[in-house]
Amino acid sequence: VPESSRDAYVGLEWSAAFRDVMPRRHPTLPFACDASPEIVAQAGPSWKHSLMYQHRLNNSLCDDRYNPTAGVDAHWAWEVAGPPGDVGFVKGTGGAALHVPVADAMGGISLHASVNGGFIRPVTYGGLCPATTSVSDRFYVGGPIQLRGFMHSGIGPRAETGGKSTAGGDALGGDLFYTATVAASMPFPGISLLRDNGMRLFAFANAGTLTGLDATPATAILRSTRAAAGGGLVVG
């Protein structure tokens, strides 16, 4: 797995994947689906045939791979899908992070900043592939890894309805996203056992959005950007 490599990773990958969107069944009606019409409309199998190039530094230029306080990190990837698969698209993702120690007080205070983004654009190959992206290939944003303060897949386009286990409408994914975070961290004060084992206090502010490419991107980004701030503990 590229993300688990101990060093920087550069790879060119060919893949052929069989996927199947299977909406939840209704708990009492055996022939009905417990999902929105938009999800039901995309139910069924699909075959993705793609070529991907990606480059990941994997925090190899940071002082700590899992809980960095100094250094830089970056990643980017391009994927092109098409025949003989039945989905076609061009997909690009990338991101960068900067970690800067700013004070020696209490063992070291660091500032952190990161930005990530991506887009996906359908390619029809003259009618051989659909003119819209699939829910299996779109981006989903939310959760502590991507955008703190929001549930997994908690922002972006949603259906008006959803299954009984879904708060609000079903997440439909988006074709364009970005996230940006600024944060500060410091070693856990007072308890040496926690501090010596890498536990740090942190405060953050982050913002991001997930939208489609059918509107002017700048307008869609301004209208749909969500933000949150808070704090917590990081365990190294």
Side-chain angles (χ1 to χ4, degrees):
V1 179
E3 295 88 342
S4 63
S5 173
R6 293 183 178 272
D7 301 309
Y9 173 88
V10 179
L12 183 63
E13 306 170 16
W14 170 85
S15 66
F18 178 83
R19 299 91 54 83
D20 196 355
V21 176
M22 302 178 65
R24 294 179 299 269
R25 291 297 179 183
H26 196 278
T28 58
L29 301 175
F31 299 105
C33 292
D34 188 27
S36 64
E38 291 87 346
I39 296 298
V40 174
Q42 296 209 27
S46 65
W47 182 30
K48 185 184 79 169
H49 169 259
S50 70
L51 189 67
M52 174 189 288
Y53 169 81
Q54 61 176 318
H55 192 147
R56 293 180 173 272
L57 295 183
N58 286 331
N59 280 342
S60 60
L61 300 181
C62 297
D63 61 340
D64 186 280
R65 182 181 174 194
Y66 299 105
N67 195 8
T69 59
V72 296
D73 187 42
H75 66 91
W76 57 90
W78 287 95
E79 183 179 15
V80 178
D86 50 21
V87 294
F89 61 79
V90 174
K91 190 175 190 178
T93 57
L98 175 65
H99 311 277
V100 181
V102 294
D104 293 330
M106 305 187 70
I109 299 175
S110 291
L111 299 180
H112 315 269
S114 65
V115 61
N116 293 276
F119 77 95
I120 180 172
R121 188 82 177 182
V123 180
T124 64
Y125 296 96
L128 295 177
C129 298
T132 59
T133 54
S134 165
V135 294
S136 299
D137 301 310
R138 295 173 189 157
F139 299 106
Y140 296 86
V141 175
I145 303 300
Q146 289 182 305
L147 195 63
R148 295 184 179 97
F150 298 91
M151 296 176 59
H152 290 282
S153 304
I155 71 169
R158 309 191 78 84
E160 293 185 2
T161 60
K164 293 183 179 298
S165 60
T166 303
D170 289 330
L172 301 177
D175 297 334
L176 175 70
F177 86 95
Y178 89 90
T179 61
T181 300
V182 292
S185 69
M186 60 180 290
F188 196 92
I191 304 177
S192 59
L193 177 63
L194 299 179
R195 183 173 61 251
D196 295 342
N197 282 278
M199 183 169 287
R200 298 176 67 88
L201 297 175
F202 79 97
F204 72 88
N206 57 195
T209 192
L210 174 68
T211 185
L213 288 175
D214 53 345
T216 303
T219 302
I221 289 173
L222 291 175
R223 290 179 177 176
S224 61
T225 290
R226 308 287 297 276
L233 297 175
V234 176
V235 180

